[in-house]
Amino acid sequence: MSGRPEALFKLFAGLESLEGVGPKTAQHLQTMGISAPRDLLFTLPHAVIDRQRRESVQDVAPPTTVTVAITVGEHRPARTKGGAYRINVSDAKTAFQLVFFHARGGYWSKVLPEGSRRVVSGKLEIFEGLAQMVHPDFIVPEDEADTIPEVEPVYPLTAGLTQKLMFKATRHAISLMPDVDEWIDPAQKSAAGWPDFRHALQSVHAPQAASALVATAPARARLAYDELMAHQLTLALARARERRAKGRASAGDGRLQARVLAALPYAATSAQTRAIEEINTDMASTTRMNRLLQGDVGAGKTLVAFMALLRAVEAGGQAVLMAPTEILARQHLDALQPLAQQAGVVLEILTGRDKGKERAGKRAALAAGDIQILVGTHAVFQKEVVFADLRLAVVDEQHRFGVRQRLELGKKGAAADVLVMTATPIPRSLSLAQYGDMDVSVLDEKPPGRKPIKTALIGIDRMEEVVARLQAVIAEGRQCYWVCPLVEESEAVDLTAAQERFKHLRAALGEEVVGLVHGQMPPIDKDAAMARFQSGQTKVLVATTVIEVGVNVPNATIMVVERAEIFGLAQLHQLRGRVGRGEAASTCLLMYRPPLSDSGRRRLEVLRETEDGFAIAQTDLEMRGAGDVIGTAQSGLPRFRVADLERQAGLMATAQSDARKLLSEDPTLQTRRGGAARMLLWLMRQEEAIRLISVG
């Protein structure tokens, strides 16, 4: 497929092709992320001004925008340079003033001669007891009153732009939109009561009332759906291409899986069993598996992942488990080693720390197929690491792994299956936006025996009580985490805070008892400090948030989070999940600095009330918005101009099934609706998707 269709050329031309837009205005528009006329189509008004004509300003409660016919009275020029030039005017019932600053010469006596009739529209205010309108937005002769829009849209602006300019430029941009075929499924469109695309554009830019501005208004909902549909088509194309990439059937006989399950002290939950079956089915098929395993803290993802790794071995191949850091890779090794022994399979680790002979030995064993399961960090990506027969890659993802890296890993093995694990419960709308190309298994039950964690809120002024509590817990042989906040932008300041707390706790609890980890430490020191805590040498670990991901110390029963009010909900939930991993009852103390803001209190109370990560994530989404929940910088989340992921989760799900259905019926988008869908992809700047069709 060649480049952009000619019908869209004008929409993607330079901004200066628009009426009234010169180089300077174009620069201002670019600061708003508007780089072509097309972007104005999706820059929607966020308010309306009612300019319907009234008889008089008498019954208006200022400040309000009013449109009224007036008779012009006496002019009172400014007494000082740059002072106020005032004109007395009267409407059908009362008198008020028009006020202008920086009036030049006789300009206003020409525009508003005494005794003339005009229609003015602007904001009526009270100043020193007098009603006045400063610089009306419109001043027209009575016979031109219909040039004032009855309802005027209000656009987002930045310095250097005016409403008039935005109004004019968006109108021009809309006129450049060619007629297009419909890309939405006809049944979906009529059930939702949505207008055609062009009609939707015209109506969102000419709202007749505030009710037209809500996300559920038909024209807005339609445009939101168009954005979501383009995004889901892109993901569905990536998925279809993955599926066309020949997979390999890895059918196991289940003997290794059964051996491990039988040796466990507890039965797998029904959610785990379901996920294991879904993965077994995927691996046995000839299309490549591309599955997301989503589970809350402590839902038992590791067991499910290990079953998948064993499946690859049962099928006569190898498997790899990738972790984002050295600490986590070693922890996976410790957790899986006993299970591997149970199954009688060879499990090894490869990280950046393996050097020289040892590294060469591991590489040779991998290439020969003697290592069956490898645990590693991104060191596994290196060119010289070669597998005899890689069947499966499991990625322990902490949002550091985008679609591209997933594809990269697949290249290591001829058509290796991919399973991505995430411990971050993501609301469904976001997981569809971020992982829409994948199939999803959700672990939504906790394994038996996990005790609930008690969560308490406590003011920072009660610090000494907390320290005393720690003394008692340590005396019972238990361990504690103490998390210091990353408050400042500068890590140096945070570091001082953590070091101060470290000194304070050592003085209170004893030199040998307290350890410290923070982001600035060399990795080797960090690992050593973590190892001392894991082995129980140190009883209290003071840490910046480096410990939130995956660390496993069953003997730790208290988690103190200092300045909890400045952490994100998801992050607090992850931190709390570091305790409650053993037999003993655990507590999470959220220390805050009073007074708490309303939203700060609401966030901490949600944590106190529930341990359900999905409920917490949903609250987080409602309170902070999509970009923040996933961390916009590395989120891989698309930036939607119209669609609102928080409030339009249902539309996202519909768009996903519609996009997948369209592609299953018309994989190369050749039908009439398929051609319309291509037009949609061009219009929504989804060039990558278009490349996927063309190479497909």
Side-chain angles (χ1 to χ4, degrees):
M1 174 172 178
S2 55
R4 181 179 292 126
E6 199 170 323
L8 297 180
F9 281 2
K10 286 182 175 167
L11 275 175
F12 285 88
L15 287 169
E16 293 173 45
S17 61
L18 290 171
E19 220 174 307
V21 177
K24 200 147 202 147
T25 305
Q27 270 182 319
H28 294 315
L29 285 166
Q30 274 170 333
T31 62
M32 289 173 63
I34 297 170
S35 57
R38 170 258 172 229
D39 301 326
L40 282 165
L41 301 181
F42 302 100
T43 305
L44 306 192
H46 55 75
V48 291
I49 296 173
D50 179 355
R51 293 194 190 276
Q52 292 179 63
R53 191 129 146 221
R54 297 176 189 243
E55 191 190 2
S56 169
V57 301
Q58 193 171 358
D59 311 320
V60 170
T64 306
T65 298
V66 196
T67 306
V68 68
I70 52 157
T71 303
V72 180
E74 182 197 357
H75 285 236
R76 296 164 56 191
R79 288 197 287 276
T80 58
K81 193 178 174 202
Y85 184 105
R86 297 173 182 276
I87 304 175
N88 292 338
V89 298
S90 55
D91 63 26
K93 290 186 179 171
T94 185
F96 59 101
Q97 288 187 331
L98 302 184
V99 181
F100 302 94
F101 292 97
H102 310 293
R104 291 206 193 98
Y107 178 77
W108 290 114
S109 47
K110 284 199 199 84
V111 176
L112 291 160
E114 209 166 314
S116 62
R117 293 279 294 164
R118 293 286 186 269
V119 176
V120 293
S121 183
K123 189 175 271 182
L124 188 78
E125 295 168 308
I126 299 289
F127 178 69
E128 293 183 347
L130 291 172
Q132 61 176 33
M133 193 182 280
V134 180
H135 287 277
D137 305 316
F138 294 88
I139 302 173
V140 298
E142 270 191 298
D143 57 359
E144 290 173 27
D146 57 357
T147 61
I148 300 176
E150 286 205 338
V151 180
E152 191 184 9
V154 180
Y155 287 96
L157 296 178
T158 183
L161 296 177
T162 63
Q163 288 299 341
K164 276 195 175 135
L165 189 138
M166 286 295 283
F167 186 85
K168 215 157 141 186
T170 48
R171 292 308 166 281
H172 189 177
I174 294 168
S175 73
L176 303 174
M177 181 67 212
D179 284 322
V180 286
D181 284 333
E182 185 54 76
W183 46 73
I184 295 180
D185 176 61
Q188 162 69 23
K189 181 172 173 254
S190 74
W194 288 337
D196 292 341
F197 182 71
R198 173 184 277 290
H199 181 212
L201 272 184
Q202 286 163 337
S203 102
V204 293
H205 285 282
Q208 289 309 298
S211 59
L213 302 170
V214 297
T216 49
R220 284 206 172 215
R222 144 104 220 202
L223 294 183
Y225 187 78
D226 293 330
E227 272 192 313
L228 299 174
M229 174 82 179
H231 172 62
Q232 286 297 334
L233 264 174
T234 304
L235 290 172
L237 281 162
R239 171 190 159 95
R241 185 182 177 189
E242 282 271 286
R243 306 223 139 181
R244 279 200 304 277
K246 263 292 173 251
R248 289 170 68 200
S250 295
D253 53 12
R255 66 198 152 81
L256 300 179
Q257 288 185 339
R259 208 180 288 169
V260 171
L261 288 171
L264 291 175
Y266 51 84
T269 64
S270 57
Q272 284 176 315
T273 309
R274 186 177 62 233
I276 292 167
E277 280 167 12
E278 287 168 345
I279 291 165
N280 284 346
T281 308
D282 277 3
M283 289 180 70
S285 96
T286 51
T287 43
R288 270 174 85 163
M289 172 166 78
N290 189 19
R291 185 170 282 279
L292 175 71
L293 176 62
Q294 197 184 7
D296 204 346
V297 176
K301 289 180 297 297
T302 312
L303 176 67
V304 175
F306 190 62
M307 290 294 137
L309 296 166
L310 288 179
R311 198 59 161 194
V313 178
E314 289 175 359
Q318 294 165 297
V320 63
L321 169 61
M322 301 247 324
T325 64
E326 174 97 26
I327 291 181
L328 283 176
R330 299 213 167 268
Q331 192 169 292
H332 279 307
L333 181 76
D334 298 340
L336 299 180
Q337 200 60 282
L339 299 177
Q341 281 161 358
Q342 217 75 57
V345 299
V346 181
L347 176 75
E348 257 299 356
I349 186 165
L350 181 68
T351 68
R353 200 177 289 176
D354 293 305
K355 299 279 184 282
K357 262 193 190 146
E358 194 180 354
R359 187 177 185 83
K362 286 183 183 178
R363 274 178 41 209
L366 271 178
D370 298 338
I371 294 175
Q372 291 163 299
I373 297 176
L374 182 69
V375 174
T377 54
H378 52 262
V380 173
F381 272 129
Q382 287 159 346
K383 278 207 176 62
E384 79 272 12
V385 177
V386 178
F387 292 83
D389 179 12
L390 179 64
R391 299 284 186 119
L392 168 72
V394 178
V395 181
D396 184 359
E397 166 181 57
Q398 293 298 334
H399 299 317
R400 314 259 194 299
F401 239 75
V403 178
R404 285 211 180 80
Q405 287 93 330
R406 301 205 280 263
L407 296 174
E408 197 50 43
L409 193 65
K411 291 179 190 158
K412 278 276 172 210
D417 287 322
V418 177
L419 177 68
V420 176
M421 304 198 288
T422 173
T424 313
I426 306 169
R428 178 131 192 268
S429 56
L430 293 195
S431 79
L432 286 177
Q434 201 181 11
Y435 301 111
D437 59 321
M438 307 182 83
D439 297 302
V440 182
S441 295
V442 178
L443 299 182
D444 47 14
E445 303 168 46
K446 289 234 191 329
R450 292 277 309 213
K451 292 199 169 57
I453 300 167
K454 184 171 175 244
T455 301
L457 313 187
I458 188 164
I460 210 152
D461 44 0
R462 294 168 59 192
M463 174 80 69
E464 294 317 312
E465 279 176 56
V466 175
V467 175
R469 170 88 188 269
L470 291 194
Q471 276 171 315
V473 173
I474 293 166
E476 291 165 14
R478 299 285 169 201
Q479 291 170 273
C480 318
Y481 291 101
W482 189 297
V483 176
C484 293
L486 291 175
V487 193
E488 306 293 334
E489 288 306 302
S490 98
E491 287 189 353
V493 182
D494 297 327
L495 196 49
T496 332
Q499 283 163 335
E500 286 305 310
R501 182 63 60 235
F502 173 59
K503 280 187 200 144
H504 167 204
L505 292 175
R506 282 181 79 172
L509 304 170
E511 296 273 318
E512 297 308 305
V513 178
V514 187
L516 172 69
V517 275
H518 57 75
Q520 303 278 290
M521 288 169 114
I524 201 149
D525 296 352
K526 209 187 290 182
D527 287 0
M530 293 296 296
R532 282 196 298 277
F533 185 62
Q534 270 169 323
S535 68
Q537 271 175 277
T538 48
K539 303 295 180 198
V540 178
L541 185 65
V542 175
T544 52
T545 48
V546 290
I547 60 153
E548 70 181 279
V549 179
V551 186
N552 194 21
V553 181
N555 190 41
T557 58
I558 289 200
M559 165 65 70
V560 179
V561 183
E562 211 176 307
R563 296 293 311 277
E565 76 276 13
I566 62 176
F567 286 84
L569 264 177
Q571 205 179 18
L572 288 170
H573 178 62
Q574 289 293 329
L575 285 168
R576 171 170 64 184
R578 300 299 113 229
V579 294
R581 294 176 162 248
E583 296 303 300
S586 293
T587 307
C588 174
L589 295 177
L590 302 174
M591 291 178 83
Y592 62 89
R593 178 184 291 170
L596 273 179
S597 67
D598 288 347
S599 70
R601 175 169 301 283
R602 182 176 158 203
R603 298 216 322 264
L604 298 184
E605 284 173 350
V606 166
L607 279 156
R608 186 171 62 193
E609 273 136 43
T610 179
E611 276 191 70
D612 175 349
F614 287 94
I616 289 168
Q618 191 56 49
T619 306
D620 204 12
L621 178 61
E622 285 157 15
M623 293 185 69
R624 292 196 307 154
D628 295 328
V629 172
I630 289 194
T632 305
Q634 31 39 320
S635 68
L637 260 192
R639 306 304 292 265
F640 297 119
R641 275 184 181 270
V642 182
D644 175 338
L645 285 181
E646 287 92 287
R647 292 176 191 81
Q648 297 179 305
L651 283 185
M652 178 69 99
T654 311
Q656 185 190 55
S657 59
D658 195 12
R660 288 184 176 185
K661 180 167 171 269
L662 173 60
L663 282 178
S664 70
E665 291 163 5
D666 179 11
T668 53
L669 299 182
Q670 295 302 336
T671 59
R672 183 164 181 176
R673 185 178 165 213
R678 285 176 184 240
M679 187 63 97
L680 169 70
L681 290 171
W682 280 114
L683 187 62
M684 295 296 181
R685 299 187 179 278
Q686 297 286 341
E687 280 81 354
E688 264 196 20
I690 291 152
R691 272 206 303 283
L692 285 171
I693 314 176
S694 22
V695 298

